[in-house]
Amino acid sequence: MPPRPICDAAAPQFTTGNIPMPNRATLLKILSAVLLFGSWEIAGRIPVSFAFPTFLESMEALYRMATDGTLWAAYAETLQPLIVGVAISAVLGITIGLWVGLSDFFNWLFSPIFIVMQAAPLAALIPLLVLAYGIGLTSKVLVVCIMAMPVIVLNTASAVRNTPESMKEMGRAFLASDLAIILKIVIPAASPVIFAGLRLGISAGFIGAILAELKITPTGVGDIITYSRSIADYPSMYAAIFSIILLAVLFLNLLEKTETVLFKGNQRGYVSD
Amino acid sequence: MSQTNAPPAGVGDLPESAVSTRSISKNYGAVEALRDLSLEFPRGQLTSLLGPSGCGKTTLLKIIAGLLEPTSGEVEVNGNKVTGPGPDRAFVFQDFALLPWASVIRNVAFGLEMRGIAKSEREGIAEHYIKEVGLGGFEQSYPHELSGGMRQRVGLARALSVDAQVLLMDEPFSAVDEQTRRKFQEDLLGLVANENKTFIFVTHSIEEAVYVSDQIAILLPRPSRVSEIIRPSGFRDKGADNIRRDPEYLDIVDQIWASLRTYVE
Ligand SMILES: Nc1ncnc2c1ncn2[C@@H]1O[C@H](COP(=O)(O)OP(=O)(O)OP(=O)(O)O)[C@@H](O)[C@H]1O
Ligand SMILES: [Mg+2]
């Protein structure tokens, strides 16, 4: 079976050079997407496994589920614990992280909890959660939080602790109050690492949301995955997985845009190569 | 020659001190940075601190600013004991200490913002000083878009804009090019002459110190004390262009070099 030369179409354009910066970045993204989906298609056609559909079959299934409404109904379910969990993790995680970073006492009090939380095998904890909180929304939100919060807290705390001393000193020299130093110097200086923690935390939250639906009760996107696997409808199963990854990527991109708008000068170095 | 090597305290014809440091010692753990250092800074004049690298000039400046606690001794500014930073002092940092996420104008206005001055007013003041240091047109740039010398000038504008009585400048011209440096030195002489401010100025350059200073304190290496105080005064009113050719200027430069070279060798 001859592999179709999908990626060759984009290659010559790329070598022409002199493409303006933003276009080049977009082009690279498109190129890597084309490469990824191209190899998925090829792997599906070989086939690697009878349970591995091609890219196009999966897209067809995705289109079908989107038009008949299954997908939207599923997301209405899945997004609840995801959004609630991620929101709680972000707000609480950053707040606790700031405390932990600013005060040795809170560091002593909270750090071990989150280090343990991050290291704990979540699948093993799920039965305990179900025992304590049942199979409803609470347990699922908790799973999302356990996945998302530790990395947000730990990143925020270490970013805060590593604020350059000279900037804080400058703040004091120009009569900034302690609160002003935190708001105007410590938080903006820590923002790149806080945002990196948020990105990692939110990705982990997506994993948590699906894991909760696979391990607690099959609802939403987790239900599509479980059900289509049980009836060997692999294209639908992969379509569901693909859609959640797509959603995660879109969301992370949105977060990155927010960061760029909020803290423009912070992208010194790595944006202007 | 109009130089005195004796400590200036109590000498009749000297103006009163805006800042005095009394037997300051500072230890960083086992490192003894300053030992029993006493120095008077006359009001309305520029005093340079000159000494080898690592001898404690920045440390002394930060103690005067109230950013560091001396291990012993005390600092008085306008007769009040220093217990922390105050509105009477502004600092120009050796490493600039700009906020990378804030534009030039926000950086320059930072001190005014912390004093609770309204946005439009503080931006007006900031704009004025940005022009003053020759950065007009760069108000909206970010520090990473500026050269080292330009960043240093942002730090200078920030300190000037809060209109403090005492300006503490830690090697404020070290990163600017020679032409700009000479222009700044002349501007600085103008500032000292026109504004009734007290300048404390750290530099590595002997020529610069002699050119701009009313009083030069030469510090010995760690643990640092004042080894000599030189008050060049004979050429001060000869005009900017003639100073560098003045025999007294050249003599003082030689004299300082003679006393410092022993520590370099
Ligand atoms: N935070 C600190 N902890 C420990 N030692 C320090 C600290 N800051 C300064 N020192 C020490 O104190 C001494 C004086 O430092 P300082 O920065 O005041 O020197 P300086 O005269 O400003 O030097 P330079 O001209 O190179 O800027 C140095 O030997 C340095 O090692
Ligand atoms: Mg120094």
Side-chain angles (χ1 to χ4, degrees), chain A residues 166-167 169-177 180-181 184-186 188-190 262-269 272, chain B residues 62 66-68 85-87 89-91 93 95-101 110-111 113-115 142 144 158-159 162:
Chain A
S166 73
M167 279 189 211
E169 201 167 50
M170 185 283 291
R172 288 201 290 132
F174 286 95
L175 305 181
S177 62
I181 289 181
K184 306 263 171 180
I185 295 176
V186 172
L262 279 180
F263 300 103
K264 203 159 161 234
N266 252 346
Q267 15 163 283
R268 60 218 125 137
S272 53
Chain B
K62 285 187 177 167
L67 293 171
L68 283 178
R89 283 152 288 151
F91 205 109
F93 289 88
D95 59 0
F96 320 150
L98 303 181
L99 306 176
W101 56 86
F110 182 81
E113 187 182 346
M114 293 303 116
R115 275 155 225 236
Y142 286 88
H144 68 93
R158 179 176 59 196
V162 293

Side-chain angles (χ1 to χ4, degrees), chain B residues 28 31 33 51-60 94 170-171 204 222:
Chain B
Y28 291 108
V31 179
S53 181
C55 77
K57 304 180 294 293
T58 300
T59 304
L60 178 60
Q94 187 170 9
D170 198 352
E171 302 187 31
H204 277 149
R222 272 187 295 126

